[in-house]
C-alpha cells in the first residue's frame, strides 16, 4: 500500500481489497452499462412498465404508452435485440413480454426510490 495520512488505513485498506476482489471484469462492467443505457431511454422504460403487467400486442402497447406505432415498434426491436423482451406469434398478432425479469426488479427499485426522502 501507499503512504497515507488516513487515520483508518488498515480498515480502509481491507475495504479496498474486498472491493477489488469482487469487482466484475471490464467486459462485464461494459455489459452492465449497456443494459442500463437500453432501459434508461424514457419510451423504452414506459414500454417495460406496461409489459410488467403481462404480454401485449404492439397496438395495445402503443395505446398504453401514448406513442405512435412506428416509434413503439422501433423501441420494441431495440429491447428485443438486447434480450430484455421476447415475442411470440399468436395468429396474426405478435405478443411481447418481458424476458429478463431482473430488469423489472431494477425498475421497481428505481420507482421506490422516487419516494425516498433521503
Amino acid at each position: 500500500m501507499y503512504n497515507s495520512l488516513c487515520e483508518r488505513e488498515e480498515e480502509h485498506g481491507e475495504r479496498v481489497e474486498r472491493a477489488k476482489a469482487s469487482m466484475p471484469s471490464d467486459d462485464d462492467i461494459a455489459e452492465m452499462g449497456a443494459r442500463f443505457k437500453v432501459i434508461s431511454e424514457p419510451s423504452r422504460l414506459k414500454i417495460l412498465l406496461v409489459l410488467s403487467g403481462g404480454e401485449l400486442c404492439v397496438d395495445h402497447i402503443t395505446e398504453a404508452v401514448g406513442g405512435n406505432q412506428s416509434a413503439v415498434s422501433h423501441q420494441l426491436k431495440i429491447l428485443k435485440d438486447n434480450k430484455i423482451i421476447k415475442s411470440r406469434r399468436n395468429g396474426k398478432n405478435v405478443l411481447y413480454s418481458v424476458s429478463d425479469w431482473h430488469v423489472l426488479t431494477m425498475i421497481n427499485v428505481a420507482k421506490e426510490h422516487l419516494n425516498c426522502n433521503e
Side-chain angles (χ1 to χ4, degrees), residues 63-103:
E63 181 182 342
V65 300
N68 68 61
Q69 187 171 342
S70 175
V72 169
S73 293
H74 176 71
Q75 299 305 334
L76 287 168
K77 179 179 179 350
I78 292 170
L79 290 166
K80 190 174 175 187
D81 288 348
N82 283 276
K83 298 178 176 71
I84 295 171
I85 65 168
K86 61 186 175 184
S87 64
R88 71 177 182 91
R89 186 162 290 283
N90 184 20
K92 291 186 199 179
N93 291 318
V94 176
L95 300 174
Y96 294 90
S97 61
V98 175
S99 63
D100 185 348
W101 289 96
H102 295 102
V103 169

Side-chain angles (χ1 to χ4, degrees), residues 7-89:
E7 295 175 6
R8 303 178 84 181
E9 183 67 33
E10 186 175 327
E11 178 184 347
H12 290 180
E14 290 172 7
R15 288 181 187 168
V16 167
E17 292 305 315
R18 282 195 308 270
K20 287 168 50 177
S22 66
M23 187 68 63
S25 70
D26 288 346
D27 287 344
D28 287 347
I29 293 286
E31 187 173 333
M32 290 166 57
R35 182 65 53 102
F36 280 119
K37 184 176 179 180
V38 168
I39 66 172
S40 69
E41 197 282 325
S43 60
R44 292 192 287 264
L45 188 54
K46 283 182 179 181
I47 290 169
L48 289 168
L49 287 165
V50 168
L51 290 177
S52 69
E55 70 180 5
L56 290 169
C57 67
V58 68
D59 291 336
H60 290 125
I61 295 168
T62 301
E63 181 182 342
V65 300
N68 68 61
Q69 187 171 342
S70 175
V72 169
S73 293
H74 176 71
Q75 299 305 334
L76 287 168
K77 179 179 179 350
I78 292 170
L79 290 166
K80 190 174 175 187
D81 288 348
N82 283 276
K83 298 178 176 71
I84 295 171
I85 65 168
K86 61 186 175 184
S87 64
R88 71 177 182 91
R89 186 162 290 283

